[in-house]
Amino acid sequence: MKKTLFNRLMNVFVLSAAMVFSGASAAEKVTLANGEWAPYLSENLKEYGVISDVVKKAFAKENIEVEYVFLPWKRGYEDAKSGKLNGSLIWSRTEDREKDFDYSDTVIDLKTVAFYKKGSGFDWSDAASMKGKKLGGVTGYSYGFDDEEKSGLVSIERVSSADANVKKLLAGRLDAYMEDLDVGSELMNSMGVMDQVEVHPKPIKEKSYHLILNKSQPENKKLMDAFNRGLQALKDSGEYDKMIEASRRGEYKK
């Protein structure tokens, strides 16, 4: 009888210990807003695009699991800000965002340019030269003209989907559409209209883009430190460069 009771107690102890150690070794989890911004981010690409893959693998280096929630950009940003999600990817720095979010080390450096319809004669040199021009952009994005927009010097018509900007541009309803060079080229090639468009040689801006995690959740500081370590490990090993090169060869397309 005593032996049977002892065996039962031992079984309970072993099971409890297994559960404790299993929980301790389980990966932590971070939930991030993601969106459509091919070729970097897209629900329709392998691994959700190269930058989604970079972020996932950087966290994996620190045994942290990533869950992506694909949402319209504005809603994803607000859900990350409110604490419904840990954060979002990828964003450039602005003063307003820095009030609510911490920024990771640079995930990627990108160049924003002005796409314009061939034969339109579009040109620009500085913010003042944009006065009176109809410029297209995407909701939630900063194009480096924040102060000029507030003063009314520069006017940007923002829409939620990038392809709507391309259609407006070709219809003559925009003078230029501002977009990342790779993103815009990918989009217009997919729409079969790249031969109708030119790229202005002067960049609108060259900026670094980052993972952002909200400041309201205490665990986010630890998660950010872990991400930065993982990202640096990817870069040091050469994995990061190989992933970017693979994306440019089209290897993330399904």
Side-chain angles (χ1 to χ4, degrees), residues 35-87:
E36 291 299 319
W37 204 34
Y40 306 119
L41 311 165
S42 177
E43 204 167 8
N44 301 312
L45 292 172
K46 294 177 183 176
E47 304 298 336
Y48 301 139
V50 63
I51 296 304
S52 299
D53 199 19
V54 165
V55 170
K56 181 180 178 181
K57 283 184 168 62
F59 272 119
K61 294 280 186 185
E62 296 288 317
N63 197 34
I64 297 171
E65 179 186 346
V66 176
E67 178 184 357
Y68 289 126
V69 181
F70 277 84
L71 296 166
W73 286 107
K74 188 173 183 179
R75 181 182 163 193
Y77 180 86
E78 291 300 326
D79 282 0
K81 180 179 174 180
S82 69
K84 289 182 181 178
L85 306 172
N86 292 100

Side-chain angles (χ1 to χ4, degrees), residues 7 18 29-30 36 59 61 67 82 91 107 113 117 172 178:
N7 288 341
K29 187 174 183 179
V30 58
E36 291 299 319
F59 272 119
K61 294 280 186 185
E67 178 184 357
S82 69
W91 298 84
V107 176
V113 298
K117 190 175 180 180
M178 299 181 294

Side-chain angles (χ1 to χ4, degrees), residues 42 47 68 97 102 154 157 162 177 191 194 224 250:
S42 177
E47 304 298 336
Y68 289 126
R97 289 186 198 132
D102 288 319
V154 173
E157 298 178 19
Y177 161 45
M191 295 174 71
M194 194 65 200
M224 186 66 85

Side-chain angles (χ1 to χ4, degrees), residues 92-225:
S92 61
R93 288 183 181 272
T94 67
E95 288 185 11
D96 285 343
R97 289 186 198 132
E98 287 182 332
K99 294 174 185 176
D100 302 297
F101 292 95
D102 288 319
Y103 282 72
S104 72
D105 293 341
T106 298
V107 176
I108 192 168
D109 290 306
L110 298 179
K111 181 188 294 185
T112 300
V113 298
F115 291 88
Y116 62 96
K117 190 175 180 180
K118 279 186 177 178
S120 69
F122 172 83
D123 194 19
W124 85 285
S125 57
D126 54 20
S129 69
M130 290 293 203
K131 185 176 181 179
K133 290 182 169 62
K134 295 178 181 178
L135 305 174
V138 176
T139 304
Y141 279 89
S142 169
Y143 295 94
F145 299 124
D146 295 2
D147 292 339
E148 290 82 2
E149 276 194 271
K150 289 176 183 176
S151 70
L153 178 65
V154 173
S155 177
I156 302 174
E157 298 178 19
R158 286 181 168 82
V159 293
S160 59
S161 63
D163 57 344
N165 272 320
V166 177
K167 292 173 183 176
K168 289 169 70 176
L169 180 68
L170 296 178
R173 291 161 54 199
L174 291 175
D175 294 307
Y177 161 45
M178 299 181 294
E179 183 58 275
D180 170 75
L181 178 60
D182 289 337
V183 171
S185 298
E186 171 89 5
L187 174 63
M188 292 183 205
N189 278 319
S190 70
M191 295 174 71
V193 299
M194 194 65 200
D195 60 340
Q196 302 176 49
V197 176
E198 292 191 58
V199 177
H200 196 279
K202 178 179 173 61
I204 297 288
K205 69 173 184 179
E206 295 179 83
K207 281 195 174 184
S208 60
Y209 284 77
H210 311 258
L211 169 72
I212 57 174
L213 299 180
N214 66 61
K215 294 181 178 180
S216 62
Q217 292 173 286
E219 69 270 22
N220 278 353
K221 180 171 176 49
K222 179 183 175 183
L223 289 169
M224 186 66 85
D225 289 343

